[in-house]
């Protein structure tokens, strides 16, 4: 049985705004789930409904198979880490981490032992006597995490916990959060708008848009099998390229290049005659030059960005534009015409009307 179940969960705010539509998800014990999507898509609202901080308008929320809609935050045994660390400024790191246990009236010796153990996991042992203002952003966030993990809770909820950190600290904290999850094995639900955080942390990712779940899957699933244009474009950096065209004689145009869709769709290409198709391919899934079993494209180089580990090439072919990611040693000249190949297995086709993937 799933540990946590969300069944047709909806949120309609008192002002009538329908923020979350029929959210369905089953979470196993120990899983690391990430909700990802653009700002305003309903991630925090869903997390807050799980935390018990926001009423569920419709649907069933189950813990261990028992309806938990009406339980308060404490009874749900959840701990939450917010974007703003919400530390007590006048309390030391030790007291901040110990706070929940102190409130519960836990024995002082037990508290001391647990705080020390938690501080060791988080690398805070040398900072226990300090006040929050004498810590870096990353250290403060670790204290907030410590305060959450010290209590034995079933569900660990995090809402954009890294967004107040600089880029370097974010990368460090990200790997620390992954490490903490490995050590504690706590079921975790993590909200972020950052697809890299989602890809690196999650066992499974829930991609949301405008209050609707778009796709749920492992990072591998989402990257290689996006169900629609939105997921294809949201996961991956730089994003997937999309070329829009109308099918004529089984072909669409990519600049002056003709893309023969029968190579990819076979006889089914005829079903799309006269209709709109979106041709998708990832910047990193091309090869320079001509290759077999691939679509060949000639395009002009508008701009190159040499990033060290790779070069991004911005190409144009008539009205169509795309980004290619290549080895830095293959960086072309600006304004040069280049030929590149898109292996057929790396091509994703979408219906222009529904934006759903054509399989
Ligand atoms: P996210 O976490 O994905 O950025 P939120 O869950 O915070 O998105 O918000 C989802 C939508 O619900 C947004 O359009 C937001 O403006 C709206 N919303 C959030 N809180 C309230 C509220 N208390 N009343 C009305 N609308 C709200």
């Amino acid at each position: 049985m799933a540990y946590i179940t969300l069944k047709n969960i909806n949120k309609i705010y008192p002002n009538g705004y329908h923020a979350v539509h029929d959210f369905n998800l089953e979470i196993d014990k120990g899983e690391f789930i990430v909700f990802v999507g653009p700002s305003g898509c309903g991630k925090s609202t869903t997390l807050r409904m799980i935390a018990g901080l926001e009423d569920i308008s419709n649907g069933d929320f189950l813990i261990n198979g028992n309806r938990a809609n009406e339980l308060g935050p404490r009874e749900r045994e959840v701990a939450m880490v917010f974007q703003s660390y919400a530390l007590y400024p006048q309390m030391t790191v030790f007291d901040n981490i110990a706070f929940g246990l102190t409130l519960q009236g836990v024995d002082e010796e037990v508290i001391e032992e647990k705080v020390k153990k938690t501080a060791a996991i988080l690398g805070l042992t040398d900072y226990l006597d300090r006040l929050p203002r004498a810590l870096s952003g990353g250290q403060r966030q670790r204290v907030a995490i410590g305060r959450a993990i010290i209590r034995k809770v079933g569900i660990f909820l995090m809402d954009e916990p890294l967004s107040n950190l600089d880029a370097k600290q974010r990368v460090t904290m990200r790997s620390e959060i992954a490490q903490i999850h490995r050590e504690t094995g706590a079921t975790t639900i993590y909200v972020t708008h950052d697809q890299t955080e989602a890809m690196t942390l999650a066992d499974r990712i829930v991609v949301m848009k405008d209050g609707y779940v778009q796709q749920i899957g492992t990072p591998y699933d989402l990257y290689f099998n996006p169900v629609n244009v939105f997921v294809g474009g949201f996961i991956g950096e730089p994003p997937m390229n999309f070329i829009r065209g109308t099918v004529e004689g089984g072909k669409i145009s990519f600049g002056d290049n003709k893309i023969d869709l029968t190579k990819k769709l076979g006889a089914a290409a005829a079903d799309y005659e006269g209709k709109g198709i979106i041709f998708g391919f990832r910047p990193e899934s091309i090869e320079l030059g001509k290759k077999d079993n691939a679509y060949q494209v000639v395009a002009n180089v508008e701009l190159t960005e040499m990033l060290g580990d790779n070069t991004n090439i911005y190409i144009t072919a008539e009205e169509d534009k795309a980004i290619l990611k290549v080895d830095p040693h293959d960086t072309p000249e600006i304004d040069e015409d280049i030929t590149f190949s898109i292996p057929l297995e790396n091509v994703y086709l979408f219906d222009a009307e529904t934006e759903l993937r054509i399989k």
Side-chain angles (χ1 to χ4, degrees):
M1 185 180 41
Y3 175 42
I4 299 163
T5 305
L6 294 109
K7 226 187 258 176
N8 294 321
I9 296 284
N10 281 269
K11 178 67 189 184
I12 302 161
Y13 278 110
N15 68 357
Y17 187 74
H18 200 154
V20 178
H21 298 257
D22 287 328
F23 191 107
N24 286 291
L25 178 66
E26 293 200 338
I27 302 173
D28 286 330
K29 227 180 181 111
E31 264 197 295
F32 198 122
I33 299 286
V34 177
F35 296 169
V36 73
S39 180
C41 70
K43 308 177 295 287
S44 295
T45 301
T46 309
L47 195 75
R48 292 169 61 81
M49 286 192 283
I50 294 169
L53 299 172
E54 199 70 71
D55 287 338
I56 296 169
S57 310
N58 263 302
D60 294 312
F61 173 63
L62 313 178
I63 301 178
N64 282 323
N66 301 313
R67 187 176 152 99
N69 289 45
E70 283 75 32
L71 297 185
R74 287 208 162 263
E75 297 160 302
R76 294 184 191 198
E77 308 216 313
V78 298
M80 188 146 169
V81 178
F82 296 94
Q83 187 178 109
S84 60
Y85 320 124
L87 299 179
Y88 297 101
Q90 76 286 11
M91 286 188 194
T92 61
V93 168
F94 184 101
D95 290 337
N96 265 289
I97 295 177
F99 189 71
L101 300 181
T102 311
L103 268 192
Q104 285 171 25
V106 173
D107 202 65
E108 253 177 56
E109 271 173 37
V110 176
I111 292 183
E112 172 133 6
E113 189 198 318
K114 286 194 169 180
V115 171
K116 286 193 169 154
K117 209 167 137 199
T118 306
I121 292 176
L122 295 164
L124 289 170
T125 304
D126 296 338
Y127 302 93
L128 288 171
D129 296 332
R130 290 208 194 171
L131 292 175
R133 67 166 176 272
L135 299 176
S136 70
Q139 289 165 336
R140 281 180 213 172
Q141 188 54 290
R142 271 182 262 162
V143 177
I145 292 171
R147 196 174 50 184
I149 63 174
I150 196 166
R151 296 193 293 131
K152 268 272 168 264
V153 297
I155 316 166
F156 195 36
L157 307 174
M158 303 180 118
D159 193 350
E160 302 258 7
L162 308 186
S163 55
N164 285 333
L165 305 179
D166 66 37
K168 209 165 177 184
Q169 287 176 322
R170 270 208 298 277
V171 174
T172 312
M173 262 323 279
R174 198 171 75 201
S175 61
E176 286 182 16
I177 287 175
Q179 181 70 23
I180 293 164
H181 179 250
R182 272 196 296 279
E183 283 175 23
T184 61
T187 309
T188 305
I189 308 175
Y190 183 108
V191 161
T192 180
H193 62 274
D194 181 321
Q195 62 94 25
T196 311
E197 262 173 46
M199 292 294 274
T200 50
L201 286 169
D203 290 318
R204 283 190 301 151
I205 299 175
V206 179
V207 182
M208 297 181 73
K209 181 191 171 219
D210 299 337
Y212 289 90
V213 171
Q214 303 291 303
Q215 188 169 3
I216 301 174
T218 62
Y220 188 96
D221 281 339
L222 296 190
Y223 183 85
F224 288 104
N225 284 309
V227 295
N228 60 22
V229 170
F230 180 79
V231 176
F234 194 80
I235 302 291
E237 177 56 36
M240 186 182 274
N241 295 302
F242 297 112
I243 306 297
R244 288 162 193 272
T246 304
V247 183
E248 287 169 25
K251 297 189 171 99
I252 57 162
S253 302
F254 182 162
D256 287 336
N257 310 277
K258 293 294 172 205
I259 302 287
D260 181 359
L261 296 173
T262 59
K263 282 197 206 172
K264 181 80 185 164
L265 295 175
D271 300 345
Y272 291 91
E273 195 60 31
K275 294 188 182 152
I277 285 248
I278 301 170
F279 175 91
F281 65 100
R282 295 198 178 278
E284 58 276 27
S285 69
I286 60 104
E287 293 179 57
L288 292 175
K290 290 186 178 163
K291 294 277 156 18
D292 290 339
N293 246 330
Y295 288 117
Q296 249 99 61
V297 177
V298 179
N300 189 259
V301 176
E302 194 171 54
L303 179 75
T304 60
E305 291 173 341
M306 214 295 285
L307 298 168
D309 55 344
N310 67 274
T311 290
N312 291 333
I313 311 175
Y314 293 71
I315 55 129
T316 55
E318 302 293 322
E319 302 290 292
D320 294 321
K321 289 181 185 296
I323 303 177
L324 314 178
K325 202 165 165 177
V326 301
D327 187 294
H329 300 102
D330 296 335
T331 304
E333 297 295 328
I334 307 271
D335 213 25
E336 187 182 335
D337 281 334
I338 58 167
T339 301
F340 66 93
S341 299
I342 315 167
L344 287 177
E345 72 265 24
N346 297 342
V347 168
Y348 297 87
L349 297 176
F350 304 89
D351 185 310
E353 204 171 315
T354 61
E355 301 213 337
L356 293 175
R357 172 110 171 268
I358 301 167
K359 296 252 171 120

